[in-house]
Amino acid sequence: EVLAHMPEFINPDTTTAYSYHIKVGPEEDINPYLKKSKEPYPLIWLTYPFIETHKINKVECKNISFVIAVKGNSTKLLDDRFDDVYVNRLMPMFSTFKHVIEKANIIKTTNEYDVVKFPNYTKKDKNATIDIWDAIKVTFDCVVDDKCLILKI
């Protein structure tokens, strides 16, 4: 619900606006989603599993992880595309993601985010994605309150 309020991403090269594709599920669900989607990027994927501790009027989430991904380009070396992909795209996407999370009145974080960069992200096993991604994985703890969402953007 909170991430539905993400503003569109503006491609710095073309000034084209792109809506985020926000999905939830285990990594095994990624390929079926990619196969049925014509243009699934930029993608924000909440990965399962994560730990939830339910308390009165709130849920504490531990090690909740989101993958923010754009379609990669395996023909260029990372040095050749780092500024374009990470500096101009993925890190600004992460900043927007973090801003929306922190401005939502129902989510409280410690303001500590573990960010792992995955250039040419793909796996060489049965869960391999059919596309090559440049991605970041963002992991953090948060508390989600049981009240109506109000964004203070």
Side-chain angles (χ1 to χ4, degrees):
E1 179 181 358
V2 171
L3 294 180
H5 297 279
M6 292 275 293
E8 291 182 321
F9 173 72
I10 308 298
N11 182 321
D13 297 331
T14 64
T15 66
T16 304
Y18 293 93
S19 296
Y20 289 91
H21 298 265
I22 300 165
K23 300 296 173 188
V24 177
E27 288 192 30
E28 296 81 31
D29 289 354
I30 293 173
N31 274 336
Y33 170 72
L34 293 175
K35 286 177 183 174
K36 74 176 188 177
S37 300
K38 290 182 181 174
E39 188 57 44
Y41 303 104
L43 175 64
I44 299 177
W45 190 281
L46 169 60
T47 62
Y48 282 138
F50 57 88
I51 298 168
E52 292 181 350
T53 303
H54 292 259
K55 298 186 176 186
I56 297 174
N57 298 327
K58 65 182 175 181
V59 177
E60 294 177 356
C61 300
K62 302 252 189 226
N63 293 319
I64 191 168
S65 291
F66 290 85
V67 175
I68 303 172
V70 296
K71 192 164 185 169
N73 181 344
S74 62
T75 63
K76 291 184 177 178
L77 296 174
L78 180 60
D79 287 350
D80 297 332
R81 66 179 202 284
F82 187 86
D83 284 347
D84 180 46
V85 173
Y86 284 94
V87 174
N88 295 330
R89 298 172 197 275
L90 287 170
M91 294 313 289
M93 289 176 187
F94 167 61
S95 293
T96 301
F97 169 88
K98 189 169 68 168
H99 179 76
V100 169
I101 293 290
E102 291 172 355
K103 294 300 180 183
N105 69 318
I106 64 170
I107 298 178
K108 303 291 182 254
T109 70
T110 60
N111 293 320
E112 292 182 20
Y113 298 84
D114 293 327
V115 176
V116 180
K117 296 175 183 167
F118 289 100
N120 283 339
Y121 177 82
T122 190
K123 291 184 175 183
K124 303 295 182 201
D125 63 15
K126 65 180 175 98
N127 293 327
T129 59
I130 58 175
D131 286 345
I132 294 175
W133 293 348
D134 284 318
I136 56 174
K137 186 174 187 178
V138 180
T139 304
F140 59 98
D141 297 337
C142 67
V143 176
V144 180
D145 291 329
D146 184 16
K147 47 179 142 169
C148 290
L149 172 65
I150 300 172
L151 284 178
K152 304 173 202 167
I153 295 178

